Amino acid sequence: MEVRVQNVRKEFDRFPALHDVSLDIRSGELIALLGPSGSGKTTLLRLIAGLEMPTQGRIFFGDTDASEKTVQERNIGFVFQHYALFRHMTILDNIAFGLKVRPRSSRPPAGEIRRRALELLDLVQLAGLEKRYPSQLSGGQRQRVALARALAIEPAVLLLDEPFGALDAQVRRELRKWLREIHDRTGHTTVFVTHDQEEALELSDRLCVMSQGKVEQVGTPDTVYDHPTSPFTFGFIGESSELPVTIANGEVSFDGRAIGIAAGNAAPGRARLFFRPHDVELVEADAALSGLITTSRRVGGTRRVELALGSEDHRVEVDLPFDHPAAEQARIAFRPRRWKLFPAA
């Protein structure tokens, strides 16, 4: 099922939570709504679900305008962060609930409901636990039950709101891999909200990066990470450092010195240089950036150091080989291998 969000605005007590947001969600894809708290991602998810109605704009499911339809009319499967399971029901009854409460005209026979619930238990790798209650399961198992319950109604669209936010890091990693496998097997159009960039990069077919109620960028994880189109996206996705620079005569200068980077098509004047800690090369001091190491810490198989650069001690981070001999207060010269220039704010 394709979902099209068209020029949607949402206000709460005249406060705009979304500003003219448009987004095309492809049938069968898994798309992440990614952004910090207050960016509007959960509001957008609730609008797609029908839990909120837009102040302006329309939401289409396929060719049908669903803007005024209820959650039930949209046939939405919803998975919440805190499971929202019925504690007094067995696991099997939790999964079957959505089918049991359907109107009589569309409700499957009791035997069919049980068969479908047992199939889903097997799909989420919980076969044999149908008689247990939610309190007898781990957090990761409860979230699997919540997903099975959402899938039981054969939803047109599956929505997940921070589905792994209440779980510890190791369980989150395991469930991310598992959710991707489930999605590939079932093929549901899936939208999930997260503030965890690692989760979004690993799981999604495409990312929708949001900030302050607007869409910053939409694209594949590789495109958004490697070719960010705004300072916010560069700073939010992955680790990054920023320096104020000047562009003149096709060159980039920092603190009054050329740093050996071509400005390309960037306009002359003040600008912002972004780069990632791992995307640098160590060079001789001439025509390069150089700074004093102020702190050092291990990051996997590398050593990440913070450098103080220039007359105003601008701070950036770069990755060094773990066995690099540099110590604190040593001077390091480097040049970004990949970078991005944006106009000064």
Side-chain angles (χ1 to χ4, degrees), residues 253-319:
S253 298
F254 169 72
D255 207 35
R257 293 180 63 246
I259 60 175
I261 290 177
N265 296 324
R270 294 169 53 245
R272 302 161 70 185
L273 172 70
F274 285 79
F275 60 91
R276 303 198 185 280
H278 62 273
D279 268 341
V280 302
E281 58 180 342
L282 302 183
V283 296
E284 299 298 326
D286 293 340
L289 292 164
S290 67
L292 290 176
I293 297 176
T294 58
T295 61
S296 171
R297 69 184 192 275
R298 181 166 186 158
V299 178
T302 63
R303 184 161 298 281
R304 181 160 296 173
V305 297
E306 181 184 77
L307 304 178
L309 276 68
S311 56
E312 297 184 22
D313 277 355
H314 292 282
R315 302 301 171 103
V316 301
E317 292 186 329
V318 302
D319 288 347

